[in-house]
């Protein structure tokens, strides 16, 4: 069994050197890779947190799943893509590095909060001796983390700004 690290995920990473493309070609390359061309972020990273949520949601009905959750490891955006089979992982890492610093900071703050919650819940579960306590911890963590995943998805997709653009294009 691997144990959950106590340190929050880092947002530092080694940026790959990818060829420069004209803006429209670059945007199309990002879209084809499921990376938002305006934010430079990919929703694939949220799967990392959704995996932890799924494991937490199983604990109340199957207490033995707590061990699976305790094996979940926090990963930064770049660590996630480096370790993944994502077809455009180098592009995802490079686009993250080139993302607007304000957007990236907002995103990193949300993912750091999620990582902190999940890490703290993991530590509390290790100390818990009763399944009922672990179940309550799992339920509470899910209540806290799910909205943060939704907010992070909003940042990736451009938030309210993206909604305004969509509405304006349809008129």
């Amino acid at each position: 069994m691997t144990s959950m690290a106590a340190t929050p995920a880092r947002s530092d990473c080694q940026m790959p050197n990818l060829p420069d493309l004209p803006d429209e070609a670059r945007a199309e390359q990002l879209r084809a890779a499921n990376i938002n061309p305006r934010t430079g972020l990919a929703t694939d990273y949220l799967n990392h947190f959704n995996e932890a949520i799924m494991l937490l949601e199983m604990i109340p009905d199957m207490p033995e799943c707590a061990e699976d959750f305790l094996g979940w490891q926090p990963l930064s955006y770049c660590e996630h893509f480096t370790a993944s089979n994502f077809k455009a992982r180098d592009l995802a890492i490079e686009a993250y590095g080139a993302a607007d610093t304000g957007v990236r900071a907002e995103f990193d703050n949300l993912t750091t909060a999620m990582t902190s919650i999940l890490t703290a819940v993991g530590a509390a579960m290790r100390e818990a001796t009763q399944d009922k306590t672990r179940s309550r911890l799992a339920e509470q963590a899910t209540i806290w983390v799910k909205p943060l995943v939704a907010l992070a998805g909003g940042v990736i997709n451009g938030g309210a700004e993206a909604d305004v653009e969509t509405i304006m294009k349809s008129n």
Side-chain angles (χ1 to χ4, degrees):
M1 173 185 96
T2 47
S3 63
M4 199 177 310
T7 56
R10 298 180 327 270
S11 63
D12 60 328
C13 53
Q14 189 75 2
M15 297 299 156
N17 289 326
L18 298 175
D20 287 332
L21 298 173
D23 288 344
E24 193 50 46
R26 168 85 170 161
E28 185 50 42
Q29 180 186 37
L30 292 170
R31 273 192 291 278
N34 291 319
I35 300 167
N36 187 305
R38 288 185 315 109
T39 63
L41 301 172
T43 57
D44 185 80
Y45 180 54
L46 298 181
N47 292 338
H48 177 60
F49 297 100
N50 287 325
E51 175 189 357
I53 291 168
M54 179 192 70
L55 293 169
L56 288 166
E57 288 176 332
M58 294 169 64
I59 293 171
D61 295 325
M62 295 181 287
E64 65 276 10
C65 288
E67 291 304 316
D68 294 328
F69 169 71
L70 294 173
W72 180 86
Q73 294 289 311
L75 296 172
S76 71
Y77 189 90
C78 295
E79 289 168 339
H80 168 77
F81 282 105
T82 298
S84 79
N85 292 322
F86 189 71
K87 65 180 178 170
R89 68 182 184 186
D90 287 345
L91 182 60
I93 293 168
E94 187 272 332
Y96 171 84
D100 177 84
T101 55
V103 170
R104 196 171 63 221
E106 182 180 1
F107 180 72
D108 287 345
N109 287 338
L110 289 166
T111 60
T112 297
M114 290 186 282
T115 299
S116 295
I117 291 166
L118 294 169
T119 302
V121 167
M125 277 192 189
R126 281 188 187 80
E127 299 295 320
T129 57
Q130 296 183 354
D131 288 343
K132 185 176 180 179
T133 304
R134 284 182 165 189
S135 291
R136 286 199 177 177
L137 286 165
E139 289 168 347
Q140 188 59 57
T142 301
I143 290 168
W144 289 330
V145 176
K146 274 186 169 182
L148 295 175
V149 170
L151 287 171
V155 172
I156 290 169
N157 293 312
E161 186 179 318
D163 295 338
V164 170
E165 283 188 21
T166 302
I167 291 166
M168 296 306 285
K169 283 181 182 177
S170 66
N171 288 334

